[in-house]
Amino acid sequence: MLEAIFGDVLKELRTARKISQEKLAEYCELDRTYISLLERGLRQPTLITLFKISKALDITPSELIKKVEVKIKPVLK
């Protein structure tokens, strides 16, 4: 559940900034398939990856996590 919500937030942020998975992966020095796995909730990012993704999306890591927290709150009730 948490993985899926993180993936949704990641995809929303990426598409809002009009960045392809390929470009995001390039900015983060990751593979495009890994970005896809994250967005589909099939993988969890490491702390280092979270910081790389945040930087590439021009958002702080804490803002990214906050967006996940906001989305998961109703699910946990």
Side-chain angles (χ1 to χ4, degrees):
M1 170 180 23
L2 179 59
E3 296 89 349
I5 290 174
F6 176 82
D8 289 344
V9 168
L10 175 58
K11 186 173 183 177
E12 287 171 10
L13 290 169
R14 179 182 60 76
T15 56
R17 286 160 175 76
K18 296 180 172 72
I19 301 172
S20 67
Q21 286 182 345
E22 292 83 2
K23 276 293 177 196
L24 181 59
E26 183 182 316
Y27 296 152
C28 298
E29 298 178 338
L30 300 168
D31 194 88
R32 187 215 49 90
T33 56
Y34 183 66
I35 299 297
S36 174
L37 291 169
L38 288 173
E39 287 186 359
R40 292 184 286 143
L42 300 175
R43 291 286 185 272
Q44 298 175 33
T46 65
L47 187 57
I48 292 169
T49 300
L50 184 68
F51 273 74
K52 286 180 177 183
I53 289 170
S54 297
K55 183 177 180 183
L57 294 173
D58 195 31
I59 188 172
T60 66
S62 59
E63 289 173 310
L64 177 55
I65 296 300
K66 185 65 178 173
K67 289 183 179 296
V68 173
E69 284 179 316
V70 167
K71 278 198 157 208
I72 202 165
K73 193 178 243 182
V75 176
L76 295 178
K77 288 187 176 185

